[in-house]
Amino acid sequence: MPEDRETAAEAAKKPEKVVKSEAEWRAKLTPEQYHVLREKGTERPFTGALVNNHDDGFYHCAACGAKLFKSDTKFESGSGWPSFFDPITKDAVELHEDNTYGMRRVEVTCAQCGGHLGHVFPDGPGPTGQRYCINSASLDFEKQ
């Protein structure tokens, strides 16, 4: 069996993919959320509701509710967007090469619904050295 194949147990742990039509996404999301999550848009820096959030809790995908980040991995990056050094689990997000706008970046999407969250950069703090730069519009916050 090839090493890149997942076992049945690993596959069973993964959440079921959320699939909706674009009309269903438009009905569920605000115009800003739709633009960010479904059209790969970006909110203006320092304008998002969660940029300065310092409460303890969990950050969920605003489209499907999947748990993505924990507050203890959030840090002040100065970028103008909520920044995290690690997702809640390795399977919570998916990474994709993004060569739009003449830049080479790594896009971060929700593994459950495919919604665009932001980008990840290799200039974050320890222990991972990663900076997941995420749009507030793509997140909901659950205070603990």
Side-chain angles (χ1 to χ4, degrees):
M1 180 152 123
E3 286 183 36
D4 61 342
R5 279 197 175 166
E6 62 187 4
T7 66
E10 288 170 330
K13 287 184 206 173
K14 288 187 176 181
E16 197 170 310
K17 295 280 186 183
V18 174
V19 179
K20 294 182 185 284
S21 70
E22 290 309 304
E24 290 172 310
W25 284 125
R26 278 191 191 278
K28 177 178 179 20
L29 303 170
T30 68
E32 182 182 30
Q33 288 173 324
Y34 184 86
H35 176 63
V36 170
L37 286 156
R38 307 311 307 167
E39 299 176 325
K40 300 179 187 265
T42 301
E43 64 198 10
R44 289 190 341 256
F46 301 103
T47 63
L50 298 171
V51 164
N52 295 314
N53 181 41
H54 301 301
D55 293 334
D56 289 336
F58 297 96
Y59 293 84
H60 297 260
C61 176
C64 71
K67 204 176 274 190
L68 301 173
F69 300 97
K70 195 166 187 305
S71 59
D72 63 2
T73 65
K74 188 173 189 274
F75 68 97
E76 296 299 325
S77 68
S79 68
W81 292 276
S83 296
F84 305 87
F85 61 79
D86 213 12
I88 198 155
T89 66
K90 69 179 179 106
D91 295 330
V93 299
E94 293 179 345
L95 306 179
H96 312 274
E97 188 171 325
D98 177 3
N99 294 311
T100 58
Y101 305 111
M103 295 182 275
R104 187 177 183 137
R105 301 178 293 174
V106 177
E107 177 190 17
V108 181
T109 61
C110 173
Q112 198 163 317
C113 72
H116 172 76
L117 303 171
H119 292 86
V120 63
F121 303 94
D123 60 0
T128 66
Q130 300 297 301
R131 174 174 53 98
Y132 289 81
C133 191
I134 307 298
N135 290 282
S136 286
S138 67
L139 300 172
D140 283 330
F141 182 72
E142 173 193 3
K143 190 174 181 176
Q144 292 292 298

